[in-house]
Amino acid sequence: MLPKFHLLINTFFLLLALTVQFPALVATGDLPEFREAPAFRNGRECPKTTWSSQPNNPSIIHIAMTLDATYLRGSVAGVFSMLQHATCPENIVFHFLATHRRAELRRTILTTFPYLNFHLYHFDANLVKGKISSSIRRALDQPLNYARIYLAELIPSAVKRIIYFDSDLIVVDDIAKLWTINLNSHVLGAPEYCHANFTSYFTPKFWSNPLFATVFRDRTPCYFNTGVMVINLEKWREGRYTDKLANWMRIQKKYRIYELGSLPPFLLVFAGNVEGVEHRWNQHGLGGDNLEGLCRDLHPGQVSLLHWSGKGKPWLRLDSRKPCPLDSLWAPNSQDAELPPVKREFNGPDLRKSLLTAVVVVVVVAVAVAVAAVMRRMKTVGALL
């Protein structure tokens, strides 16, 4: 009986291995570990095209994001969310900007998203060296935070239009809806918030200087968040907007006219001349303010994009086991080996179902073995008679 018992035990574990699909984990040095994402395929209505053969095809959606070790978990979640909700995910091309560890970051993206169309560009931190002023939060002072200013120079000239996304957001709608908005004559499109106290984004020194204050004289400026922007790169290059933004950075270095990192230069150059986008495309501020990062609720209205701008980031809150309610919406997109979504796969209904299936099969095998043994004995007894 002992050999048969071992046979049953071995059969059980073999079936368990076959029925339970444990997610593959991707590890790269001391970078976070991620599961391999599934392959997201185009719907039947999607045109088949590639950027290399048709760089100006309007059905190809270009997305720009930054990559670094600190925000990598946010970037991966953002990419996953876009692919998951896109009707034509194979028509999305990602343009990643990084300053350091590009080989490791490339390997992480390749192993986490084996089917992703992407390019990785080096952002030279020397471009902003000497131009960055300290702000109210250290994260805002990192050179990569200013890479969005240099998109038109870093992205190939064949790309005429792009969506820039921060690395602390997820998309819960088809990104094609944002891609196809009409920018009309504007260089940039973004959700605007005209009820915000615009004067608070600049210091008294700015408003008391007639030369600076008159910059808004011929327009009605409104606040917009630079974490979600649809940009006409062709018009940006023609208007030399990178130079205009960099010039305000130099002025800030000398006169200290604002406190908020890379946002104020965009307001100075574009506010009052932005193509308004529905607010649903940037439910921002979910990370709280820049000092405490307290929990916040959604703004009234529909939601297509959740943005954890502010100090509090969902992956850090989840790590600390002190998440805000809305952080639970971010977690399923994380692909992160350290977060509950992976643990739920090991401990949730799917695992219990797999275990039950394995047990049932083992019982059936055991019954079959017992019946076979009885039949052999009956044949032996019959032969003796």
Side-chain angles (χ1 to χ4, degrees):
M1 295 297 292
L2 191 58
K4 291 181 180 178
F5 177 76
H6 281 301
L7 175 63
L8 291 177
I9 293 298
N10 290 338
T11 303
F12 172 78
F13 283 110
L14 176 60
L15 290 168
L16 180 63
L18 292 173
T19 55
V20 180
Q21 296 183 349
F22 295 101
L25 300 183
V26 179
T28 307
D30 61 346
L31 294 179
E33 294 183 351
F34 301 99
R35 297 173 288 171
E36 180 181 316
F40 294 96
R41 299 303 187 188
N42 281 357
R44 292 183 178 180
E45 67 274 26
C46 300
K48 291 186 177 181
T49 183
T50 59
W51 178 42
S52 57
S53 62
Q54 297 175 291
N56 295 321
N57 191 319
S59 64
I60 299 177
I61 300 172
H62 295 277
I63 307 292
M65 299 178 73
T66 58
L67 283 182
D68 67 352
T70 303
Y71 281 82
L72 184 58
R73 293 160 73 181
S75 299
V76 167
V79 170
F80 181 87
S81 71
M82 285 176 245
L83 296 174
Q84 185 179 39
H85 292 92
T87 302
C88 306
E90 293 178 273
N91 290 4
I92 302 176
V93 178
F94 288 88
H95 301 266
F96 297 118
L97 313 176
T99 54
H100 301 96
R101 307 179 67 175
R102 280 178 294 154
E104 295 171 85
L105 292 168
R106 178 184 295 276
R107 189 159 54 248
T108 295
I109 296 298
L110 280 171
T111 49
T112 308
F113 301 103
Y115 307 95
L116 193 70
N117 298 315
F118 78 94
H119 301 268
L120 181 59
Y121 308 93
H122 172 59
F123 175 64
D124 186 358
N126 289 321
L127 288 171
V128 291
K129 187 177 181 180
K131 299 176 187 174
I132 298 177
S133 302
S134 60
S135 61
I136 60 174
R137 186 158 60 89
R138 186 176 179 182
L140 301 176
D141 301 337
Q142 302 307 308
L144 201 56
N145 192 42
Y146 292 82
R148 70 196 80 190
I149 293 175
Y150 296 86
L151 277 178
E153 281 68 41
L154 298 170
I155 306 299
S157 58
V159 180
K160 309 297 184 184
R161 181 185 179 104
I162 203 162
I163 299 174
Y164 175 83
F165 280 143
D166 273 349
S167 296
D168 53 1
L169 57 79
I170 59 170
V171 175
V172 293
D173 202 345
D174 190 346
I175 195 63
K177 297 176 183 177
L178 179 61
W179 175 253
T180 55
I181 68 164
N182 188 350
L183 291 178
N184 293 304
S185 61
H186 298 103
V187 177
L188 185 152
E192 292 184 292
Y193 303 89
C194 297
H195 63 277
N197 181 11
F198 193 81
T199 59
S200 65
Y201 294 100
F202 302 94
T203 63
K205 185 179 291 186
F206 172 86
W207 295 111
S208 63
N209 188 318
L211 184 62
F212 298 152
T214 55
V215 71
F216 298 116
R217 181 174 52 194
D218 299 324
R219 47 189 167 131
T220 303
C222 293
Y223 163 76
F224 66 94
N225 181 280
T226 57
V228 177
M229 298 185 290
V230 184
I231 302 172
N232 184 324
L233 290 176
E234 196 168 27
K235 289 186 177 181
W236 181 294
R237 294 172 181 127
E238 291 173 355
R240 302 180 65 86
Y241 283 96
T242 295
D243 293 339
K244 295 176 181 178
L245 291 163
N247 184 55
W248 278 112
M249 290 175 64
R250 283 188 285 268
I251 292 173
Q252 155 71 359
K253 194 71 176 176
K254 184 176 181 180
Y255 294 100
R256 192 71 185 181
I257 57 176
Y258 55 78
E259 305 285 350
L260 280 172
S262 62
L263 168 64
F266 276 88
L267 297 179
L268 288 162
V269 173
F270 293 108
N273 193 22
V274 171
E275 181 64 35
V277 175
E278 288 182 278
H279 288 179
R280 65 190 297 169
W281 283 106
N282 196 352
Q283 283 270 353
H284 67 289
L286 303 185
D289 59 23
N290 282 302
L291 299 176
E292 299 183 59
L294 301 177
C295 297
R296 286 185 178 175
D297 294 326
L298 290 173
H299 307 294
Q302 295 178 308
V303 181
S304 293
L305 184 149
L306 300 166
H307 187 186
W308 279 262
S309 57
K311 184 178 180 180
K313 303 305 174 188
W315 57 92
L316 298 179
R317 289 169 172 169
L318 289 162
D319 285 349
S320 67
R321 300 187 181 278
K322 297 179 180 179
C324 294
L326 291 175
D327 296 344
S328 62
L329 300 177
W330 179 91
N333 298 277
S334 70
Q335 297 300 95
D336 195 326
E338 301 299 325
L339 288 181
V342 174
K343 294 180 181 179
R344 283 200 293 269
E345 284 198 23
F346 280 82
N347 299 297
D350 290 340
L351 179 58
R352 288 195 294 272
K353 184 177 179 181
S354 298
L355 285 172
L356 180 60
T357 302
V359 170
V360 170
V361 173
V362 168
V363 171
V364 171
V365 171
V367 171
V369 169
V371 171
V374 170
M375 294 297 292
R376 284 196 300 272
R377 287 177 183 175
M378 291 178 66
K379 287 180 179 180
T380 301
V381 172
L384 292 174
L385 294 174

